[in-house]
Amino acid sequence: MGVVQIVVLVVAIAAIGGYWWFRIGRDGGRGYYVKLFGLAEGEQVSAMWVCYYDIDRTIGDRVGEVLGMRKRGINVMAATTDRGRLVFGHNEGGYPPIGFEKGGVSVSLTDRKAEMKTLAGPTGAMEEAVVMLVEPADGRQPFRLQIPRSGFEGVSAWASRA
């Protein structure tokens, strides 16, 4: 490897590292959470769970699954904050975060089976996944999430303290 190739490699690594630090790392990871959840100044995440939108499969989706093409809902993170908010952030797709104040949403279990049989809980251990119905009080469209059981219990407890 020549000197020029080494210099180019070092510059490229430094540029990538600098970009990461500027976008996320300078806040100790907080920048990621601010962007993902739309946190206010000084607001912190209290608890967080991995979720997936629970989608209705079309006939085309079902045919595709037979052929090995699997479609799943968007990967989402659900969190409660130290300021009493419930927030949902999308890990893919670039959608803006959704936040609720106490009394602004109700949640319930549905009788649907979660397609993701297990999901990682807050400790990293795999837990049974359930399907939670989220119904905003402001008239926005209700949606379903596949969430670890502990996530439903945490969000349900948060919603009941409204």
Side-chain angles (χ1 to χ4, degrees):
M1 205 182 240
V3 173
V4 173
Q5 291 172 319
I6 292 173
V7 169
V8 169
L9 181 63
V10 168
V11 168
I13 290 172
I16 292 168
Y19 177 79
W20 175 87
W21 180 84
F22 183 76
R23 297 287 298 188
I24 297 170
R26 65 185 167 160
D27 274 338
R30 179 170 157 63
Y32 174 75
Y33 291 134
V34 167
K35 182 179 177 189
L36 179 68
F37 294 125
L39 300 178
E41 183 67 34
E43 188 174 22
Q44 299 289 324
V45 170
S46 304
M48 184 170 48
W49 303 275
V50 175
C51 313
Y52 287 90
Y53 274 116
D54 186 58
I55 59 175
D56 294 317
R57 304 250 181 253
T58 65
I59 292 173
D61 294 335
R62 294 184 192 283
V63 169
E65 286 178 9
V66 170
L67 301 173
M69 296 179 290
R70 176 119 173 95
K71 184 177 178 183
R72 63 157 174 82
I74 294 173
N75 179 248
V76 176
M77 298 295 285
T80 55
T81 73
D82 62 350
R83 296 203 180 154
R85 291 191 326 129
L86 173 66
V87 289
F88 297 101
H90 299 83
N91 282 333
E92 50 189 309
Y95 300 103
I98 303 169
F100 298 100
E101 301 293 332
K102 296 257 186 190
V105 67
S106 64
V107 297
S108 58
L109 271 181
T110 68
D111 57 354
R112 292 174 59 104
K113 282 192 165 196
E115 292 182 26
M116 306 293 228
K117 303 292 184 221
T118 59
L119 287 170
T123 63
M126 298 305 282
E127 299 180 21
E128 171 195 14
V130 296
V131 179
M132 173 177 73
L133 177 64
V134 179
E135 297 177 284
D138 62 4
R140 285 188 274 182
Q141 185 74 23
F143 55 94
R144 296 184 313 264
L145 291 175
Q146 296 182 38
I147 188 168
R149 182 165 293 281
S150 68
F152 168 72
E153 292 166 356
V155 171
S156 180
W158 173 89
S160 68
R161 284 180 266 180

